[in-house]
mmCIF file of all heavy atoms in Angstrom:
data_model
loop_
_atom_site.group_PDB
_atom_site.id
_atom_site.type_symbol
_atom_site.label_atom_id
_atom_site.label_comp_id
_atom_site.label_asym_id
_atom_site.label_seq_id
_atom_site.Cartn_x
_atom_site.Cartn_y
_atom_site.Cartn_z
ATOM 1 N N ASP A 219 -67.724 -28.312 -70.689
ATOM 2 C CA ASP A 219 -68.374 -28.040 -71.964
ATOM 3 C C ASP A 219 -69.871 -27.778 -71.746
ATOM 4 O O ASP A 219 -70.482 -27.014 -72.471
ATOM 5 C CB ASP A 219 -68.156 -29.172 -72.973
ATOM 6 C CG ASP A 219 -66.719 -29.218 -73.462
ATOM 7 O OD1 ASP A 219 -66.011 -28.187 -73.353
ATOM 8 O OD2 ASP A 219 -66.295 -30.291 -73.918
ATOM 9 N N LEU A 220 -70.492 -28.507 -70.779
ATOM 10 C CA LEU A 220 -71.874 -28.324 -70.506
ATOM 11 C C LEU A 220 -72.121 -26.877 -69.977
ATOM 12 O O LEU A 220 -73.110 -26.243 -70.363
ATOM 13 C CB LEU A 220 -72.375 -29.364 -69.520
ATOM 14 C CG LEU A 220 -73.859 -29.376 -69.215
ATOM 15 C CD1 LEU A 220 -74.677 -29.692 -70.505
ATOM 16 C CD2 LEU A 220 -74.207 -30.397 -68.116
ATOM 17 N N ILE A 221 -71.245 -26.423 -69.115
ATOM 18 C CA ILE A 221 -71.365 -25.022 -68.608
ATOM 19 C C ILE A 221 -71.183 -24.011 -69.726
ATOM 20 O O ILE A 221 -71.914 -23.008 -69.770
ATOM 21 C CB ILE A 221 -70.379 -24.828 -67.446
ATOM 22 C CG1 ILE A 221 -70.810 -25.640 -66.243
ATOM 23 C CG2 ILE A 221 -70.303 -23.360 -67.080
ATOM 24 C CD1 ILE A 221 -69.813 -25.662 -65.086
ATOM 25 N N LYS A 222 -70.283 -24.259 -70.634
ATOM 26 C CA LYS A 222 -70.104 -23.364 -71.771
ATOM 27 C C LYS A 222 -71.364 -23.337 -72.617
ATOM 28 O O LYS A 222 -71.776 -22.274 -73.103
ATOM 29 C CB LYS A 222 -68.913 -23.797 -72.628
ATOM 30 C CG LYS A 222 -67.565 -23.593 -71.999
ATOM 31 C CD LYS A 222 -66.443 -24.111 -72.936
ATOM 32 C CE LYS A 222 -65.069 -23.978 -72.275
ATOM 33 N NZ LYS A 222 -64.005 -24.590 -73.092
ATOM 34 N N PHE A 223 -71.968 -24.460 -72.775
ATOM 35 C CA PHE A 223 -73.263 -24.552 -73.536
ATOM 36 C C PHE A 223 -74.305 -23.723 -72.828
ATOM 37 O O PHE A 223 -75.047 -22.983 -73.482
ATOM 38 C CB PHE A 223 -73.659 -26.039 -73.640
ATOM 39 C CG PHE A 223 -75.099 -26.219 -74.087
ATOM 40 C CD1 PHE A 223 -75.385 -26.110 -75.458
ATOM 41 C CD2 PHE A 223 -76.129 -26.467 -73.195
ATOM 42 C CE1 PHE A 223 -76.705 -26.278 -75.899
ATOM 43 C CE2 PHE A 223 -77.422 -26.635 -73.601
ATOM 44 C CZ PHE A 223 -77.710 -26.524 -74.975
ATOM 45 N N ILE A 224 -74.437 -23.866 -71.495
ATOM 46 C CA ILE A 224 -75.432 -23.091 -70.760
ATOM 47 C C ILE A 224 -75.182 -21.604 -70.938
ATOM 48 O O ILE A 224 -76.136 -20.820 -71.132
ATOM 49 C CB ILE A 224 -75.416 -23.450 -69.274
ATOM 50 C CG1 ILE A 224 -75.778 -24.927 -69.051
ATOM 51 C CG2 ILE A 224 -76.332 -22.543 -68.454
ATOM 52 C CD1 ILE A 224 -75.545 -25.444 -67.669
ATOM 53 N N ASP A 225 -73.952 -21.201 -70.981
ATOM 54 C CA ASP A 225 -73.588 -19.805 -71.076
ATOM 55 C C ASP A 225 -74.028 -19.186 -72.424
ATOM 56 O O ASP A 225 -74.390 -17.985 -72.513
ATOM 57 C CB ASP A 225 -72.066 -19.564 -70.933
ATOM 58 C CG ASP A 225 -71.605 -19.699 -69.499
ATOM 59 O OD1 ASP A 225 -72.397 -19.478 -68.599
ATOM 60 O OD2 ASP A 225 -70.429 -20.044 -69.283
ATOM 61 N N THR A 226 -73.946 -20.000 -73.476
ATOM 62 C CA THR A 226 -74.074 -19.417 -74.861
ATOM 63 C C THR A 226 -75.289 -19.892 -75.647
ATOM 64 O O THR A 226 -75.715 -19.180 -76.561
ATOM 65 C CB THR A 226 -72.812 -19.744 -75.647
ATOM 66 O OG1 THR A 226 -72.647 -21.148 -75.694
ATOM 67 C CG2 THR A 226 -71.582 -19.143 -74.991
ATOM 68 N N ALA A 227 -75.823 -21.031 -75.314
ATOM 69 C CA ALA A 227 -76.880 -21.653 -76.175
ATOM 70 C C ALA A 227 -78.207 -20.922 -76.092
ATOM 71 O O ALA A 227 -78.544 -20.340 -75.033
ATOM 72 C CB ALA A 227 -77.016 -23.123 -75.901
ATOM 73 N N GLN A 228 -79.009 -21.055 -77.113
ATOM 74 C CA GLN A 228 -80.318 -20.465 -77.158
ATOM 75 C C GLN A 228 -81.332 -21.424 -77.761
ATOM 76 O O GLN A 228 -81.027 -22.132 -78.705
ATOM 77 C CB GLN A 228 -80.361 -19.142 -77.967
ATOM 78 C CG GLN A 228 -79.522 -18.033 -77.321
ATOM 79 C CD GLN A 228 -79.625 -16.757 -78.209
ATOM 80 O OE1 GLN A 228 -79.551 -16.800 -79.402
ATOM 81 N NE2 GLN A 228 -79.796 -15.632 -77.518
ATOM 82 N N TYR A 229 -82.553 -21.425 -77.198
ATOM 83 C CA TYR A 229 -83.630 -22.129 -77.822
ATOM 84 C C TYR A 229 -84.199 -21.250 -78.971
ATOM 85 O O TYR A 229 -84.239 -20.030 -78.862
ATOM 86 C CB TYR A 229 -84.774 -22.336 -76.831
ATOM 87 C CG TYR A 229 -84.503 -23.329 -75.736
ATOM 88 C CD1 TYR A 229 -84.310 -22.895 -74.416
ATOM 89 C CD2 TYR A 229 -84.496 -24.680 -75.978
ATOM 90 C CE1 TYR A 229 -84.101 -23.798 -73.428
ATOM 91 C CE2 TYR A 229 -84.283 -25.600 -74.930
ATOM 92 C CZ TYR A 229 -84.082 -25.131 -73.664
ATOM 93 O OH TYR A 229 -83.892 -26.044 -72.666
ATOM 94 N N VAL A 230 -84.603 -21.908 -80.035
ATOM 95 C CA VAL A 230 -85.341 -21.190 -81.093
ATOM 96 C C VAL A 230 -86.808 -21.299 -80.809
ATOM 97 O O VAL A 230 -87.340 -22.405 -80.682
ATOM 98 C CB VAL A 230 -85.032 -21.802 -82.464
ATOM 99 C CG1 VAL A 230 -85.789 -21.056 -83.554
ATOM 100 C CG2 VAL A 230 -83.520 -21.741 -82.759
#
Side-chain angles (χ1 to χ4, degrees):
D219 290 340
L220 186 61
I221 290 172
K222 289 178 184 177
F223 167 80
I224 296 169
D225 284 335
T226 59
Q228 294 181 318
Y229 291 107
V230 179

